[in-house]
């Protein structure tokens, strides 16, 4: 089976390609990147990408799929459908399911379920500690054999520096990245939003930036001590960014991701007590948002990830104090990044592809992903950077609707998603202002 | 008087203009007289239903709203969280929708979570009055405080007000900070470092909001000293070493009160912890207006219920509502036959004004 993605503009930072090219995929793998003048192969199905950007498949390092255990929020099938509708060919599934993905049986279940669904590649991430309880280490080696690509106790960060040290040392032996949600619980003190002017005004308990920063500094120091690969999830504060920047300068193997909501919204969005503005880390104040944008531009930030965290409407209808943290993000991430990062001049398209594909593949060592080198998987994200469209949460492929971006008109979108040479998603042409060719 | 209250709900002081605040205070002033009558009732809200939905224990505020509603002849229903279905696991919004199905005109809500009244207002047709939401706002408390100050000092403009105690967790402090600075007073907040964050100064509407670390600095030269209630649980959660130490370093005593202006007044939203945040000789002293606050609370809540629940006409008040009530009674014959007390009250209102 052959697919020729013709007439597009190929951007692949892994090979330094940034030019009008055709891409040939054969039997699920990249066969060749052809120059405009080169003769096209016979008998290939043609995808006309005139006016569109063709990039290696986008990878979300941070997705909550909720299966097993909370299928009313999301399933692997609905999450995968949302992923490909948002332009992601691969997502990394966080382990805070029920039961927690802390053993090879759960890992295997997720892998098998993903293969049945077949839409996107799902890479499970295992727990650091058993039950993510922050006590004993989980069976990382066995989970890796079953398919995990990293470990994290996301949502329930490891509180003990001593245990985190052991986790890093142990994970290093299996070449697994240790991903951490930096959040010192004693400093966060039960806060429900960013601590600052707005939390004071609204009378809501605040989580200070320092709760994230002190753990980020700890993890960076531990990365140096242990030599482990450490990935900081959803970095949202100036201090945490600064900690990563310094660790990188010192040669530590530290990487980090930021989310679209943290570079798009500030804590002022909490004013109306809309629980779709409640997430952890919380929306921060303007100075932190500016620090993130600077770090995206200067290379300190390695990846954009969604932290897609579906919750049922009934749960989000609770009081701000009691509603769960988190918002969905798979279907809005690429558009928000195009609009807020590219169109506002912080970065170019090449850097965007690096943040969504090249670097995520490198961070979790996803072999033959994040590149269009011949032999790599035929995972492709096709972008229309200028497409103007309106996000309608009621039509989301996710089972949940908890997003603060419902009704937003955005500029730029993924218009087709191709996994192993198969077109698994294609945006309807009826979209307003669409320029997609037939 | 031709001011307009451009609100369907009263969710907080923040966002109200000086004109709107003054209008509520002026309206409250006219209602004070109703409570001094022999028959303390006017028919203004007859046929209207007010639900007091209280998710937190409260005697003072709930009673005040209940009496306010009854003196306006509204049907007042009290729902306390302990007796409601909340304990059976029903969500706030389900409770709200169920109440809504019974067509109330106003819902007065007290809730331990900030923002609960705002969430209620989004799903309810009824007007929503915030009677205290978490640490966010307590607008009728700030209004009754302002009314009390205004009665004593004539105007709030240029006054120096000290607010002492647990600023961080206080909805009273927030509502007062907004209201007092909007009406031109300058406010000094003071309390222990754990409970009086310096960042609070950024919440000022005008420019007159400061945070002092020594309460003496806040009291010095003050026209008004407002003392907040200290919650006993603060000493168990590392905000305070002990209530004893709090009393020694942050309690309002006669000695500290001498730093204020000679004619300074003392206020407390209640309930008081005597001997902790305020000494009894201050609380019971000549400068204490604590019981005036309670009386004014009733007038303010009557004004708020009247302005929000009195129908379209009431949103644009051009006459004294207490006398306007008589007109309403006369124009609806069934009202006068059904409600003798209303007619008596109206007649009384008429005579007392003449």
């Amino acid at each position: 089976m052959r697919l020729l993605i013709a007439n597009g503009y190929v951007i692949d930072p892994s090979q330094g390609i940034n030019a009008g090219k055709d891409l040939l995929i054969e039997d699920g793998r990249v066969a060749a990147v052809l120059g405009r003048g080169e003769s096209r192969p016979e008998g290939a199905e043609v995808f006309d990408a005139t006016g569109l950007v063709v990039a290696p498949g986008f990878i979300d390092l941070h997705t909550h799929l909720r299966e097993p255990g909370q299928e009313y929020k999301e399933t692997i099938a609905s999450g995968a459908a949302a992923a490909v509708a948002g332009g992601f060919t691969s997502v990394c599934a966080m382990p805070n399911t029920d039961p927690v993905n802390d053993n090879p049986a759960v890992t295997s279940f997720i892998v098998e379920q993903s293969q049945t669904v077949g839409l996107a590649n799902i890479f499970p991430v295992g727990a650091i500690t058993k039950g993510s309880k922050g006590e004993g280490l989980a069976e990382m080696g066995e989970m890796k054999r079953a398919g995990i690509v990293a470990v994290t106790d996301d949502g329930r960060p490891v509180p003990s520096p001593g245990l985190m040290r052991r986790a890093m040392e142990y994970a290093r032996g299996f070449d697994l990245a240790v991903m951490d949600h930096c959040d010192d619980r004693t400093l966060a003190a039960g806060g429900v939003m960013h601590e600052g002017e707005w939390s004071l005004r609204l009378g809501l308990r605040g989580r200070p930036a320092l709760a994230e920063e002190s753990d980020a500094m700890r993890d960076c120091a531990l990365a140096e001590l242990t030599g482990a690969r450490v990935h900081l999830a959803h970095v949202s504060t100036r201090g945490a960014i600064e900690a990563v920047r310094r660790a990188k300068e010192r040669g530590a193997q530290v990487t980090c991701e930021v989310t679209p909501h943290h570079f798009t919204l500030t804590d002022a969005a909490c004013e109306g007590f809309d629980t779709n503005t409640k997430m952890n880390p919380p929306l921060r104040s303007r100075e932190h948002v500016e620090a993130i944008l600077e770090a995206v531009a200067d290379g300190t930030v390695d990846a954009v990830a969604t932290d897609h965290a579906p919750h049922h409407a009934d749960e989000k209808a609770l009081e701000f104090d009691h509603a769960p943290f988190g918002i969905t993000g798979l279907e809005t991430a690429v558009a928000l990044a195009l609009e807020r990062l590219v169109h506002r001049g912080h970065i170019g398209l090449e850097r965007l592809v690096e943040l969504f594909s090249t670097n995520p593949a490198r961070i979790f060592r996803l072999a033959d992903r994040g590149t269009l080198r011949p032999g790599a998987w035929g995972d492709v994200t096709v972008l229309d950077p200028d497409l103007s469209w309106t996000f309608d949460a009621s039509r989301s492929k996710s089972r949940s609707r908890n997003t603060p971006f419902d009704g937003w008109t955005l500029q730029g979108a993924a218009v087709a998603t191709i996994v192993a040479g198969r077109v698994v998603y294609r945006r309807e042409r009826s979209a307003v202002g669409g320029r997609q060719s037939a | 008087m031709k001011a307009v209250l451009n609100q369907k709900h009263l969710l907080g002081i923040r966002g109200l203009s000086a004109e709107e605040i003054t209008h509520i205070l002026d309206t409250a002033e006219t209602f004070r007289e109703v409570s001094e009558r022999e028959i303390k009732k006017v028919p203004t809200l007859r046929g209207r239903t007010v639900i007091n939905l209280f998710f937190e224990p409260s005697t003072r505020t709930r009673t005040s709203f209940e009496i306010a509603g009854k003196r306006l002849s509204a049907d007042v229903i009290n729902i306390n969280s302990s007796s409601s279905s909340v304990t059976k696991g029903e969500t706030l919004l389900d409770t709200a929708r169920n109440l809504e199905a019974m067509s109330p005109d106003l819902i007065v809500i007290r809730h331990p979570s900030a923002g609960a009244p705002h969430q209620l207002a989004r799903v309810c047709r009824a007007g929503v009055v915030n009677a205290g939401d978490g640490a966010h706002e307590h607008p009728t408390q700030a209004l009754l405080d302002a009314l009390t100050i205004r009665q004593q000092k004539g105007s709030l403009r240029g006054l120096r007000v000290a607010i002492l105690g647990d600023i961080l967790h206080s909805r009273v402090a927030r509502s007062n900070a907004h209201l007092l600075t909007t009406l031109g007073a300058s406010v000094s907040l003071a309390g222990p470092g754990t409970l009086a964050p310096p960042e609070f100064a950024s919440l000022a509407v005008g420019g007159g909001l400061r945070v002092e670390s020594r309460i003496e600095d806040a009291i010095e030269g003050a026209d008004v000293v407002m003392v907040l209630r200290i919650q006993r649980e603060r000493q168990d959660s590392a905000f305070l070493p002990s209530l004893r130490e709090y009393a020694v370093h942050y309690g309002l005593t006669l000695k500290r009160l001498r730093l204020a202006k000679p004619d300074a007044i003392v206020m407390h939203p209640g309930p008081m912890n005597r001997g902790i945040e305020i000494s009894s000789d201050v609380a019971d002293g000549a400068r204490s207006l604590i019981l005036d606050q309670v009386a004014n609370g009733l007038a303010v809540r009557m004004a708020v219920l009247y302005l929000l629940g009195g129908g379209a006409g009431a949103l644009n008040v051009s006459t004294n509502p207490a006398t306007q009530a008589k007109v309403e009674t006369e124009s609806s014959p069934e009202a006068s036959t059904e409600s003798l007390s209303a007619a008596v009250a109206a007649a009384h209102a008429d005579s007392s004004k003449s």
Side-chain angles (χ1 to χ4, degrees):
Chain A
M1 218 194 82
R2 293 167 137 191
L3 176 71
L4 183 74
I5 303 168
N7 309 321
Y9 194 86
V10 175
I11 299 181
D12 178 9
S14 76
Q15 308 178 74
I17 297 177
N18 197 332
K21 301 262 186 198
D22 294 347
L23 178 70
L24 180 66
I25 301 173
E26 236 176 60
D27 299 326
R29 299 249 179 190
V30 176
V33 182
L34 305 166
R36 278 282 188 261
E38 293 181 59
S39 63
R40 291 176 175 179
E42 300 282 317
E45 186 193 334
V46 175
F47 181 105
D48 184 358
T50 303
L52 302 174
V53 171
V54 176
F58 284 7
I59 299 161
D60 185 17
L61 292 175
H62 199 143
T63 316
H64 295 271
L65 290 178
R66 307 300 189 202
E67 184 179 351
Q70 294 182 309
E71 291 81 358
Y72 67 97
K73 299 185 187 206
E74 195 80 286
T75 61
I76 288 170
S78 65
V84 297
F88 291 100
T89 55
S90 301
V91 299
C92 301
M94 292 298 109
N96 62 337
T97 46
D98 182 17
V100 170
N101 182 14
D102 65 354
N103 66 77
V106 177
T107 307
S108 299
F109 167 81
I110 296 168
V111 169
E112 283 159 25
Q113 198 70 1
S114 309
Q115 281 162 356
T116 310
V117 170
L119 280 173
N121 309 300
I122 312 277
F123 296 107
V125 175
I128 294 174
T129 63
K130 290 188 187 76
S132 286
K133 288 184 176 146
E135 288 158 14
L137 294 181
E139 294 173 344
M140 297 181 196
E142 290 292 279
M143 287 193 288
K144 180 163 188 192
R145 189 178 286 176
I148 65 162
V149 295
V151 287
T152 186
D153 275 357
D154 184 57
R156 298 180 66 181
V158 180
S160 150
L163 182 60
M164 194 57 161
R165 174 202 176 162
R166 299 293 176 227
M168 287 185 189
E169 288 170 342
Y170 194 76
R172 189 190 59 205
F174 292 96
D175 195 25
L176 285 167
V178 177
M179 176 182 192
D180 197 21
H181 171 157
C182 296
D183 193 16
D184 182 308
R185 264 182 263 176
T186 62
L187 282 167
V192 296
M193 69 174 290
H194 174 63
E195 180 181 293
E197 190 184 323
W198 276 102
S199 67
L200 278 180
R201 185 170 288 140
L202 298 175
L204 290 168
R205 273 166 297 155
R207 304 176 90 84
L210 187 60
E212 176 175 338
E213 291 160 354
S214 73
D215 254 12
M217 291 182 238
R218 174 198 81 171
D219 285 351
C220 287
L222 287 173
E224 281 192 63
L225 176 71
T226 62
R229 288 192 293 123
V230 173
H231 177 68
L232 303 192
H234 41 51
V235 169
S236 71
T237 76
R238 185 173 284 276
I241 291 279
E242 202 45 51
V244 171
R245 196 175 275 136
R246 277 199 304 269
K248 286 183 168 190
E249 282 165 9
R250 293 163 64 97
Q253 296 199 70
V254 173
T255 54
C256 74
E257 69 191 28
V258 298
T259 73
H261 49 272
H262 286 121
F263 61 65
T264 303
L265 298 171
T266 66
D267 55 350
C270 300
E271 179 175 10
F273 297 95
D274 177 356
T275 56
N276 286 330
T277 61
K278 179 180 176 181
M279 63 284 285
N280 187 17
L283 296 174
R284 303 288 187 185
S285 57
R286 176 60 55 197
E287 56 152 341
H288 295 294
V289 174
E290 279 162 12
I292 290 172
L293 291 171
E294 283 162 27
V296 166
D298 74 14
T300 305
V301 168
D302 297 280
V304 173
T306 66
D307 195 9
H308 176 82
H311 291 295
H312 196 275
D314 292 345
E315 298 165 312
K316 278 292 195 179
L318 296 174
E319 297 85 348
F320 204 95
D321 281 342
H322 303 302
F325 291 103
I327 59 169
T328 59
L330 286 169
E331 289 159 287
T332 46
V334 171
L336 287 168
L338 281 166
E339 175 165 309
R340 298 284 163 151
L341 303 179
V342 176
H343 294 315
R344 296 201 178 178
H346 296 287
I347 59 169
L349 278 171
E350 189 166 3
R351 171 82 174 128
L352 180 99
V353 174
E354 223 175 78
L355 291 164
F356 274 98
S357 183
T358 325
N359 290 348
R362 174 175 57 83
I363 292 166
F364 282 177
R365 300 262 205 274
L366 306 179
D368 300 333
R369 315 266 178 199
T371 177
L372 297 174
R373 275 207 180 83
W377 286 103
D379 294 352
V380 179
T381 297
V382 182
L383 303 171
D384 182 342
D386 297 315
L387 180 77
S388 176
W389 64 289
T390 301
F391 179 56
D392 176 358
S394 71
R395 297 181 63 191
S396 168
K397 308 282 186 203
S398 167
R399 281 208 170 174
S400 293
R401 303 282 182 262
N402 51 312
T403 167
F405 303 115
D406 187 24
W408 281 41
T409 295
L410 298 164
Q411 194 190 357
V415 291
T417 309
I418 295 159
V419 175
R422 199 161 63 89
V423 180
V424 292
Y425 173 79
R426 194 155 187 181
R427 179 173 284 269
E428 292 160 32
R429 290 193 60 224
S430 59
V432 183
R435 300 193 290 110
Q436 189 176 323
S437 306
Chain B
M1 179 172 65
K2 174 100 182 167
V4 177
L5 185 61
N6 289 314
Q7 317 279 334
K8 184 187 173 201
H9 312 289
L10 179 64
L11 300 177
I13 296 294
R14 196 171 76 85
L16 290 185
S17 64
E19 191 197 17
E20 286 173 313
I21 292 166
T22 304
H23 178 47
I24 298 172
L25 298 180
D26 292 346
T27 309
E29 205 66 69
T30 69
F31 275 116
R32 271 171 59 89
E33 171 271 327
V34 173
S35 296
E36 289 157 12
R37 300 177 190 176
E38 192 181 349
I39 308 285
K40 301 173 180 61
K41 208 170 181 96
V42 289
T44 315
L45 294 186
R46 214 173 63 85
R48 300 194 190 263
T49 305
V50 176
I51 295 179
N52 284 330
L53 183 57
F54 275 59
F55 293 91
E56 250 183 10
S58 159
T59 308
R60 190 171 317 238
T61 305
R62 191 188 53 70
T63 308
S64 182
F65 269 109
E66 182 178 353
I67 295 177
K70 287 181 169 166
R71 290 199 176 157
L72 293 170
S73 304
D75 296 310
V76 181
I77 289 94
N78 294 315
I79 299 173
N80 298 323
S81 66
S82 54
S83 62
S84 79
S85 45
V86 172
T87 47
K88 297 173 201 155
E90 187 173 76
T91 66
L92 168 66
L93 292 189
D94 281 335
T95 305
R97 289 190 188 103
N98 276 279
L99 296 176
E100 183 79 354
M102 299 178 221
S103 307
D105 297 285
L106 287 172
I107 298 176
V108 177
I109 177 173
R110 156 75 59 98
H111 199 285
S113 290
H118 305 67
Q119 291 173 306
L120 197 67
R122 276 201 282 273
V123 300
C124 281
R125 288 186 304 277
V128 174
V129 179
N130 182 356
D133 63 324
H136 179 224
E137 283 234 40
H138 191 353
T140 56
Q141 178 69 42
L143 287 163
L144 73 88
D145 288 340
L147 187 64
T148 308
I149 297 169
R150 209 174 72 161
Q151 283 159 6
Q152 295 295 318
K153 304 287 179 188
S155 159
L156 277 77
R157 183 155 300 280
L159 290 184
R160 295 182 58 179
V161 183
I163 303 179
L164 311 177
D166 182 358
I167 310 296
L168 181 64
H169 300 97
S170 175
R171 52 194 173 213
V172 176
R174 280 175 182 77
S175 287
N176 264 308
H178 297 313
L179 190 153
L180 295 169
T181 55
T182 301
L183 291 192
S186 74
V187 179
S188 291
L189 307 164
T194 46
L195 298 174
E199 296 77 13
F200 218 93
S202 65
L203 304 194
V205 180
L209 189 60
R210 291 189 306 159
V211 179
E212 308 282 2
S213 48
R214 291 176 69 249
I215 66 163
E216 289 81 1
D217 294 340
I219 299 169
E220 197 161 359
D223 299 285
V224 180
V225 181
M226 207 178 273
V227 185
L228 301 174
R229 175 179 168 78
I230 188 81
Q231 304 285 336
R232 285 170 188 277
E233 51 273 25
R234 301 292 171 234
Q235 64 182 343
D236 304 323
S237 46
F239 286 102
L240 293 177
S242 68
L243 291 181
R244 183 189 155 277
E245 171 150 314
Y246 184 86
V248 172
H249 290 268
Y250 298 99
L252 183 64
T253 56
L254 274 180
K255 182 163 174 254
R256 289 200 172 106
L257 185 57
R258 281 191 205 108
L259 295 167
K261 288 204 181 132
D263 61 345
I265 57 173
V266 174
M267 298 165 70
H268 190 299
M272 286 184 283
N273 294 300
R274 286 172 180 267
I276 299 174
E277 72 260 10
I278 188 166
S279 67
S280 279
D281 45 9
V282 173
D284 302 330
R287 296 162 166 203
S288 166
L289 295 175
I290 293 167
L291 296 177
D292 295 53
Q293 288 176 272
V294 177
N296 282 330
L298 190 55
V300 156
R301 284 160 187 138
M302 286 174 79
V304 167
L305 295 180
Y306 166 73
L307 290 171
L308 297 178
L315 290 175
N316 197 332
V317 181
S318 53
T319 57
N320 183 331
T323 49
Q324 186 192 350
K326 175 176 172 274
V327 180
E328 286 173 9
T329 310
E330 284 174 346
S331 64
S332 76
E334 70 275 26
S336 53
T337 52
E338 273 178 30
S339 172
L340 181 65
S341 64
V344 172
H348 192 82
D350 205 31
S351 61
S352 67
K353 286 287 155 192
S354 55

